[in-house]
Amino acid sequence: MAAPLDLNLLKTFVAVVETGSLSNAAPRVGRSQSAVSMQMQRLEDMVGNQLLVRGPRTVTPNAIGEDFLIYARRLLKLSDEAWASVTRPKETGSVRLGVPDDYAAFLLPPVLSRFAEDHPLVTVELVCEQSTALVKTLAEGRLDLAIVTRLPEQPLDVVRLERFVWVASPNHVAWQTNPLPVALFEPGCAARMNVLQALGSADRSYRCTYSSASLLGLVAVVQAGLAVAGLAQRSVPPSLRVVGVNEGLPALPDLEIGILRNPLSATPAVERLNDFLRRDLAQRA
């Protein structure tokens, strides 16, 4: 009968694959690079097959390793669920979380992934709307938490500053057109207000060529060379380029991000996600 697999070895194996190297995996699992290397050698000896292709700078799974990765992740997830079922029986249920489209694209994936590792029995239901709509939805009791961009004069505990930049098509020079063609999020959005305030302060004439709550629609218009737009820097897709002062555009103020909570939502699941989001968003570089 085969010996049972060591979950610590599986955890390190998954970390190596996901980070692409032994050195990157080391801090993630709390071990030295040499210890990670020894663990991987031990795992390969245990299963009787090579699982990794070790290059000069990167480490990637071979065909057997790719198949093994599926089972490793499944076993680790089952272990987390089993542990949670006996150690955190109250941390179950669902949390209704509101977030703007662009933040959902770049802020949430790594945050929710880490939260799920620690709280596998909690379900997060996402609602994507612009910040002003989220404030209303939360006030109506249809959300537990909302990640929003602070509006002028809005009382909000800011947990993160996000750089706000101009973007344009790499194949067009829309910023050279006068008046400046600008694609904007819909009225009431903090990003829209920041763009218009910057243009007004710089006395730069402009015309709105597109207005929508859709991030994908905004990107499509800019990519076609029909306008420039303001986006959170982390949400800029590879198809666009960042422009700014060198192209004659005024500097844009940072976006102030905070978390709103429904005072009637007091379940352990809401408590954990609220604390996790505040801590994680504040610490992320």
Side-chain angles (χ1 to χ4, degrees):
M1 180 177 178
L5 292 168
D6 186 329
L7 292 179
N8 288 325
L9 298 182
L10 296 184
K11 184 176 181 180
T12 302
F13 172 70
V14 171
V16 170
V17 173
E18 291 182 347
T19 61
S21 73
L22 301 178
S23 58
N24 289 338
R28 180 164 165 178
V29 297
R31 295 179 180 272
S32 65
Q33 181 177 340
S34 60
V36 169
S37 179
M38 291 176 62
Q39 279 193 314
M40 292 303 90
Q41 186 61 56
R42 180 182 165 197
L43 179 61
E44 290 177 327
D45 291 342
M46 179 180 293
V47 300
N49 280 290
Q50 182 178 343
L51 302 173
L52 300 169
V53 178
R54 296 162 174 81
R57 293 189 177 181
T58 61
V59 177
T60 57
N62 58 20
I64 297 175
E66 290 281 5
D67 291 338
F68 188 75
L69 178 64
I70 297 172
Y71 294 101
R73 284 173 170 159
R74 190 181 301 172
L75 287 170
L76 290 172
K77 185 173 185 296
L78 286 172
S79 174
D80 288 341
E81 291 175 356
W83 183 255
S85 70
V86 295
T87 61
R88 294 189 294 268
K90 294 183 179 180
E91 292 178 18
T92 61
S94 64
V95 182
R96 300 165 298 175
L97 173 64
V99 61
D101 270 345
D102 48 348
Y103 295 170
F106 75 90
L107 274 182
L108 280 190
V111 177
L112 292 183
S113 176
R114 287 190 289 271
F115 180 78
E117 290 179 1
D118 291 343
H119 309 280
L121 301 182
V122 175
T123 301
V124 179
E125 302 175 13
L126 281 184
V127 176
C128 293
E129 296 177 335
Q130 66 150 296
S131 292
T132 49
L134 291 174
V135 172
K136 181 180 178 182
T137 304
L138 186 136
E140 294 171 347
R142 293 187 285 123
L143 287 177
D144 301 305
L145 299 170
I147 300 174
V148 300
T149 307
R150 181 179 175 273
L151 295 169
E153 311 304 324
Q154 180 185 15
L156 181 67
D157 181 19
V158 176
V159 298
R160 179 182 182 84
L161 293 177
E162 193 66 38
R163 192 177 173 211
F164 193 45
V165 298
W166 291 104
V167 293
S169 165
N171 303 316
H172 301 83
V173 287
W175 62 85
Q176 293 183 357
T177 304
N178 193 38
L180 179 71
V182 182
L184 299 166
F185 287 107
E186 64 184 357
C189 175
R192 179 189 180 106
M193 294 180 185
N194 284 0
V195 167
L196 297 182
Q197 180 183 6
L199 292 172
S201 298
D203 199 26
R204 177 70 183 266
S205 60
Y206 69 92
R207 62 185 180 89
C208 177
T209 61
Y210 177 85
S211 178
S212 173
S214 169
L215 173 65
L216 292 178
L218 200 78
V219 168
V221 170
V222 175
Q223 189 172 340
L226 302 177
V228 297
L231 293 179
Q233 186 175 34
R234 287 178 180 267
S235 67
V236 177
S239 59
L240 301 180
R241 60 173 290 200
V242 174
V243 293
V245 176
N246 291 338
E247 288 76 22
L249 297 172
L252 293 171
D254 291 339
L255 298 173
E256 298 179 326
I257 301 175
I259 300 172
L260 295 175
R261 176 177 174 177
N262 185 336
L264 299 180
S265 299
T267 66
V270 173
E271 293 275 2
R272 297 296 182 272
L273 183 58
N274 181 48
D275 293 343
F276 193 93
L277 287 172
R278 290 181 179 277
R279 181 175 65 253
D280 198 280
L281 293 181
Q283 292 176 349
R284 286 192 64 194

